Amino acid sequence: MVSREPVAPGLGEAAAEEEQDELSRRCGDFMAQPVSGLRELRSRRQDMRSRMEMLIMETQSQVCRALAHVDRGAAFTVDRWERKEGGGGISCVLQDGNIFEKAGVNVSVVFGHLSEEAAQQMRSRGKTLKTKNGKLPFCAMGVSSVIHPKNPHVPTIHFNYRYFEIENADGTKQWWFGGGTDLTPTYLNEEDAVHFHKTLKEACDQHNPELYPKYKKWCDDYFYIKHRGERRGIGGIFFDDLDSPSKEEAFQFVQSCAKAIVPCYIPIVKKHSHDPFTPEEKLWQQLRRGRYVEFNLVYDRGTKFGLATPGSRIESILMSLPLTARWQYMHTPPEKSREAEILEVLRNPKDWVH
Amino acid sequence: MVSREPVAPGLGEAAAEEEQDELSRRCGDFMAQPVSGLRELRSRRQDMRSRMEMLIMETQSQVCRALAHVDRGAAFTVDRWERKEGGGGISCVLQDGNIFEKAGVNVSVVFGHLSEEAAQQMRSRGKTLKTKNGKLPFCAMGVSSVIHPKNPHVPTIHFNYRYFEIENADGTKQWWFGGGTDLTPTYLNEEDAVHFHKTLKEACDQHNPELYPKYKKWCDDYFYIKHRGERRGIGGIFFDDLDSPSKEEAFQFVQSCAKAIVPCYIPIVKKHSHDPFTPEEKLWQQLRRGRYVEFNLVYDRGTKFGLATPGSRIESILMSLPLTARWQYMHTPPEKSREAEILEVLRNPKDWVH
């Protein structure tokens, strides 16, 4: 899968060396060495696969360091894993910390050939794919994360940013980005909801004012627990199949979204992580965690795709599930309670920034 | 859907009345009045739908009373619900008892017209179905239950016995039975496993010695958590599409299985419900409950079908989920531990009765 492109055309020897040092300096801040290895990244450093791998590694590192700083105690365990069929990943997990019950930030960079089943799924999404001898070379990479805090007044966050490349039979390539960031509070705090959505909107607006409204709605539609008639949380942004206006601009947009994760979430964590809470509030959190599990196992495309893919790393896929969850028969919050208040918003999503 | 058959042909007036009293006497022991109502059951009491409804109501009552007796404290709440599209059900739930954390026994009797999607699913199972103007009148009924005890040394049990009728375009009917009983221990107790399987085998052997081995294997194959490479529990029996050797004999077999539930499970509950346990053993139980949730939400056909069916009662379908569950990243029991011992059996099912 390694395509050898001319190294930094137009740059002199010295400048090229300097840029290489820059690459290895950036790698020094990562949670682990990148999946592809420094030498390979250097050899194709103008390639989108290299730039995206650097971005997802950087995002993993920024988020993990910000979370560890807030937690003031627990450290992330870093697991590096390889995929027999090609590629691998780096899973960072903090479990049973001071502030966080379970926080996972996972990077994966996988490549090889798409199975006929997976290719079929792509086609059903409207992609025109032609296999060569039934084979479809692909490369998929992304950073994904779910953070479950202990305190029921600190919301759960999920984000995922990914890049996909497929090689057609005629040698041309198709590529697209996907991703999103969304918040799942146990109790509604309007100020937090506005801060979260506003930060995401600002990131989107730098690129095109049409993006936020479109991706906000997509998010509300995607994280829908159909059998409950509720959304998983209060939304955020979600997009897929992004291949316009250009590869460069799409990447810049994804980069802005990735950079918005820490500022949209960490202030909310700091604000509430020492809020007092009652056993009843903890119980409501556990019930909401049950709904989180229902969404992820029954509807989430990424989870379902992962569980059905031979050779995928189950522990990294199911990292998204909470440490603990609860299912209580016929639990219905009393009218006008704070529990009923969040349910109302989950049933009828609100516009938070206008 | 009510078919008016000649009432008890060949019986005199007095005998017919006596038989009617017998019916109302049996109903007196139920957790609630049957879904179809006494008058309707009387009017077609030789019909399989009536006989099966009586059997599932009786099974619900026997199991609930045996569990309540062992629990010595908590009572079952009884919810009667109606399905707008036709039929309804009776859900009995005991939550947070002395012995049981969550015990649900659910009866449902639903009828109406199969959706094209549901009919398609039946076809994909090899059934030849011809709709009349795109409609397919059906009747489905069953008793299903999951019992999650508190003590990690008392296993979880699940059972389900059901009957299905479909009317073809030409007015002829197709029918079949399905069901099974299976055990999910947190720790392996060989004596219990043998008792459980032997009791089921005896119920099967009364009808045909080929049934137990066939349905034992079917159970091991069905309750498979593919992404983990483990079974949900130590199995039992499972069967579907049973329409031979005759309707009467199939019903007799289902009746024997239903009658075996209490003797295969209650002695195990009594034996272990006061066993001492450590916090580590409770934690392992919670992790195994997480796997239970994974199986039910990702693979179980009944749950998936229920969640996808408009108008179905979600609380009754998800009654099967444990009160509490846990997901811990990369939890691996030490070699030769009691946790590793049960995992070995879940990965490689054993023959318990030969």
Side-chain angles (χ1 to χ4, degrees):
Chain A
M1 284 295 293
V2 183
S3 77
R4 309 254 163 212
E5 300 186 9
V7 175
L11 286 175
E13 279 280 300
E17 221 161 79
E18 202 170 289
E19 198 180 303
Q20 287 187 3
D21 285 347
E22 167 72 7
L23 202 75
S24 84
R25 194 193 53 72
R26 284 172 67 195
C27 288
D29 288 333
F30 295 167
M31 302 298 282
Q33 282 303 300
V35 175
S36 299
L38 196 52
R39 185 178 299 184
E40 198 182 318
L41 288 173
R42 268 184 188 146
S43 74
R44 52 170 165 86
R45 70 183 179 286
Q46 303 298 323
D47 191 283
M48 184 52 75
R49 281 175 305 157
S50 300
R51 294 171 68 197
M52 186 65 180
E53 186 167 343
M54 290 299 283
L55 174 63
I56 60 183
M57 289 301 298
E58 217 149 44
T59 305
Q60 181 183 52
S61 161
Q62 282 164 0
V63 172
C64 288
R65 284 174 211 285
L67 294 171
H69 182 74
V70 175
D71 199 80
R72 287 175 202 283
F76 276 88
T77 59
V78 179
D79 279 332
R80 202 190 167 81
W81 48 272
E82 287 187 14
R83 183 170 167 273
K84 200 174 70 222
E85 298 82 354
I90 293 143
S91 295
C92 300
V93 179
L94 181 160
Q95 218 161 234
D96 205 15
N98 290 314
I99 304 297
F100 301 107
E101 190 167 280
K102 194 175 173 189
V105 189
N106 191 43
V107 153
S108 68
V109 178
V110 303
F111 48 84
H113 291 90
L114 275 190
S115 68
E116 193 48 49
E117 192 189 354
Q120 197 55 52
Q121 284 204 2
M122 296 289 166
R123 275 186 212 104
S124 72
R125 281 167 55 190
K127 303 236 165 259
T128 316
L129 302 173
K130 279 185 198 146
T131 58
K132 184 155 62 180
N133 309 325
K135 282 184 178 178
L136 205 56
F138 83 104
C139 172
M141 59 179 73
V143 56
S144 70
S145 170
V146 178
I147 316 294
H148 294 289
K150 286 184 166 170
N151 191 311
H153 299 297
V154 185
T156 288
I157 193 177
H158 159 253
F159 66 83
N160 166 236
Y161 290 96
R162 55 192 182 275
Y163 175 66
F164 218 95
E165 255 185 36
I166 286 184
E167 200 180 313
N168 291 316
D170 62 6
T172 59
K173 278 181 185 171
Q174 286 193 60
W175 56 268
W176 65 93
F177 293 91
T181 303
D182 64 279
L183 200 71
T184 305
T186 297
Y187 288 100
L188 184 64
N189 181 304
E190 300 226 0
E191 200 182 66
D192 296 347
V194 170
H195 164 80
F196 183 79
H197 276 271
K198 227 172 133 181
T199 310
L200 291 175
K201 183 178 183 297
E202 281 162 14
C204 294
D205 284 355
Q206 289 173 41
H207 302 271
N208 184 338
E210 287 170 13
L211 298 179
Y212 171 77
K214 187 175 156 194
Y215 296 161
K216 191 267 185 199
K217 184 180 180 304
W218 200 341
C219 189
D220 286 335
D221 292 345
Y222 180 78
F223 292 101
Y224 185 55
I225 308 174
K226 199 177 166 194
H227 61 268
R228 299 278 189 186
E230 318 168 344
R231 270 121 214 113
R232 189 178 73 173
I234 61 157
I237 54 170
F238 182 91
F239 60 93
D240 206 354
D241 298 316
L242 179 67
D243 55 6
S244 65
S246 69
K247 201 189 263 189
E248 182 60 33
E249 284 169 278
F251 175 71
Q252 297 289 343
F253 166 68
V254 168
Q255 194 171 36
S256 296
C257 293
K259 292 212 179 311
I261 297 163
V262 168
C264 78
Y265 185 55
I266 297 293
I268 300 176
V269 177
K270 284 185 176 160
K271 192 171 143 196
H272 297 290
S273 58
H274 298 290
D275 284 4
F277 60 85
T278 66
E280 290 72 28
E281 288 169 336
K282 189 70 189 170
L283 190 135
W284 177 243
Q285 180 200 48
Q286 293 298 300
L287 290 169
R288 297 310 310 170
R289 296 255 156 106
R291 305 294 170 94
Y292 210 90
V293 172
E294 286 178 31
F295 178 83
N296 288 21
L297 294 183
V298 179
Y299 300 105
D300 186 56
R301 281 210 302 259
T303 306
K304 287 169 74 143
F305 184 79
L307 294 184
T309 303
S312 64
R313 190 172 189 259
I314 298 306
E315 287 294 335
S316 298
I317 295 166
L318 296 183
M319 214 169 67
S320 63
L321 300 181
L323 191 64
T324 52
R326 186 177 178 94
W327 284 269
Q328 207 165 309
Y329 178 70
M330 293 294 272
H331 184 281
T332 315
E335 264 183 70
K336 296 189 180 168
S337 61
R338 293 215 59 207
E339 289 78 14
E341 180 191 33
I342 183 86
L343 271 184
E344 170 57 28
V345 172
L346 300 176
R347 285 172 188 153
N348 302 295
K350 276 180 74 169
D351 180 353
W352 297 103
V353 290
H354 289 102
Chain B
M1 286 298 290
V2 183
S3 77
R4 310 253 163 212
E5 298 188 8
V7 177
L11 284 177
E13 280 279 300
E17 223 163 79
E18 202 171 286
E19 199 180 301
Q20 287 185 4
D21 285 346
E22 168 72 8
L23 203 74
S24 84
R25 193 193 54 71
R26 284 172 66 194
C27 287
D29 288 332
F30 294 168
M31 301 298 281
Q33 283 301 300
V35 175
S36 299
L38 195 53
R39 186 178 297 183
E40 197 183 318
L41 288 173
R42 266 182 187 145
S43 74
R44 51 170 166 86
R45 68 181 181 287
Q46 304 297 323
D47 191 283
M48 184 52 76
R49 282 176 303 157
S50 301
R51 294 171 67 197
M52 186 64 178
E53 187 169 342
M54 291 298 284
L55 174 63
I56 61 184
M57 290 299 300
E58 217 149 42
T59 304
Q60 181 183 51
S61 162
Q62 282 164 0
V63 172
C64 288
R65 285 174 211 286
L67 294 171
H69 182 75
V70 174
D71 199 79
R72 289 176 203 280
F76 276 89
T77 59
V78 179
D79 279 332
R80 202 189 167 82
W81 48 273
E82 287 188 12
R83 182 171 168 273
K84 201 174 72 225
E85 296 83 355
I90 294 144
S91 295
C92 299
V93 179
L94 182 160
Q95 218 160 236
D96 204 15
N98 290 314
I99 304 298
F100 301 105
E101 189 167 280
K102 195 172 173 192
V105 189
N106 193 41
V107 153
S108 69
V109 178
V110 302
F111 48 85
H113 292 90
L114 274 190
S115 68
E116 192 49 49
E117 192 190 351
Q120 197 55 51
Q121 284 205 2
M122 296 289 166
R123 276 188 210 99
S124 73
R125 281 166 56 190
K127 302 238 165 256
T128 316
L129 301 174
K130 279 185 199 149
T131 60
K132 185 155 61 179
N133 310 323
K135 284 183 174 176
L136 205 56
F138 84 102
C139 172
M141 60 178 74
V143 57
S144 69
S145 171
V146 178
I147 316 294
H148 294 290
K150 286 183 164 172
N151 192 311
H153 298 299
V154 185
T156 287
I157 192 177
H158 158 255
F159 66 83
N160 167 235
Y161 290 96
R162 55 192 181 274
Y163 175 65
F164 219 94
E165 254 184 38
I166 286 184
E167 201 180 309
N168 291 318
D170 63 6
T172 58
K173 279 180 184 171
Q174 285 194 59
W175 57 267
W176 65 92
F177 293 90
T181 302
D182 63 280
L183 201 72
T184 304
T186 297
Y187 288 98
L188 185 63
N189 180 304
E190 301 227 359
E191 198 181 67
D192 296 348
V194 170
H195 164 79
F196 183 79
H197 276 270
K198 226 172 136 183
T199 309
L200 291 174
K201 182 177 184 297
E202 280 162 12
C204 294
D205 285 355
Q206 289 171 42
H207 302 272
N208 184 337
E210 286 170 13
L211 298 179
Y212 171 76
K214 186 174 158 193
Y215 295 161
K216 192 269 186 199
K217 182 177 183 306
W218 199 340
C219 189
D220 286 334
D221 292 344
Y222 180 79
F223 292 101
Y224 185 55
I225 309 175
K226 199 179 165 191
H227 61 268
R228 300 279 190 185
E230 321 168 340
R231 269 119 215 115
R232 188 176 75 173
I234 61 157
I237 55 170
F238 181 90
F239 58 93
D240 205 352
D241 299 316
L242 178 68
D243 56 5
S244 64
S246 69
K247 201 190 265 190
E248 182 59 34
E249 284 168 280
F251 174 71
Q252 296 289 342
F253 166 67
V254 169
Q255 193 171 39
S256 295
C257 293
K259 291 209 181 312
I261 297 163
V262 169
C264 76
Y265 185 54
I266 297 293
I268 299 177
V269 177
K270 286 185 176 159
K271 191 171 145 197
H272 297 289
S273 58
H274 299 289
D275 283 5
F277 59 86
T278 67
E280 290 71 30
E281 288 169 336
K282 189 70 190 168
L283 190 134
W284 176 243
Q285 180 200 49
Q286 294 298 301
L287 291 169
R288 296 311 309 169
R289 297 254 155 106
R291 304 295 171 94
Y292 210 90
V293 172
E294 286 178 31
F295 178 82
N296 288 21
L297 295 183
V298 179
Y299 300 104
D300 186 55
R301 279 209 305 259
T303 305
K304 286 169 75 138
F305 184 79
L307 295 183
T309 303
S312 64
R313 191 172 189 260
I314 299 304
E315 288 294 335
S316 298
I317 294 167
L318 296 184
M319 212 169 68
S320 63
L321 300 181
L323 191 63
T324 53
R326 186 178 179 95
W327 284 270
Q328 207 165 310
Y329 177 71
M330 294 293 273
H331 185 282
T332 314
E335 264 183 70
K336 296 190 180 170
S337 62
R338 292 215 59 207
E339 289 78 15
E341 179 191 34
I342 183 88
L343 271 182
E344 169 58 29
V345 172
L346 301 176
R347 284 172 188 154
N348 302 296
K350 277 181 72 168
D351 181 350
W352 297 102
V353 290
H354 290 104

